[in-house]
Amino acid sequence: MATTFPPPMHATPTHAPPPPPAPLVIRGQVFNVGPRYSHLQYIGEGAYGMVVSAMDCVSQTKVAIKKISPFEHQTYCQRTLREIKILNRIQHENIIDIRDILRSATI
């Protein structure tokens, strides 16, 4: 009497996406910029935001990231919207342009 066994099951590797990078905390502010931006360094801060420099891993260029908290007061919302509209329209060698806008997942 012959005994047969089922064919061996070979584990097929699953390629799950890597987990998102952990948010970075810089001077008490949480920067959750995903895998695109790295090497964040503090530059300065103002009335309603903080600015850090970073390396854009996609374009391989140095960028500035401004983290704002515009929803603390209606005036901040209006100023933020005005700043975005102006920077999207102006092109000048001495004025930075907006390359990307990252939104919080909770808003």
Side-chain angles (χ1 to χ4, degrees):
M1 180 165 130
T3 306
T4 59
F5 295 99
M9 297 193 59
H10 298 289
T12 56
T14 58
H15 298 288
L24 298 171
V25 179
I26 300 174
R27 296 204 180 188
Q29 288 285 328
V30 178
F31 282 80
N32 193 357
V33 295
R36 180 170 180 170
Y37 302 101
S38 64
H39 300 89
L40 276 65
Q41 294 181 341
Y42 176 83
I43 293 177
E45 55 193 297
Y48 59 96
M50 179 184 287
V51 180
V52 298
S53 67
M55 178 59 73
D56 183 340
C57 298
V58 173
S59 67
Q60 295 298 310
T61 58
K62 193 170 185 178
V63 298
I65 298 175
K66 182 176 186 178
K67 180 175 182 180
I68 55 173
S69 301
F71 303 110
E72 293 176 1
H73 192 277
Q74 181 179 353
T75 304
Y76 294 170
C77 294
Q78 293 167 332
R79 288 179 185 167
T80 300
L81 180 59
R82 184 182 313 124
E83 181 178 350
I84 291 170
K85 285 181 175 181
I86 290 170
L87 288 175
N88 272 333
R89 292 184 181 146
I90 292 179
Q91 291 185 348
H92 189 277
E93 64 184 41
N94 295 331
I95 299 175
I96 63 167
D97 58 330
I98 294 178
R99 306 255 175 108
D100 195 6
I101 295 177
L102 305 173
R103 295 180 303 156
S104 172
T106 59
I107 294 179

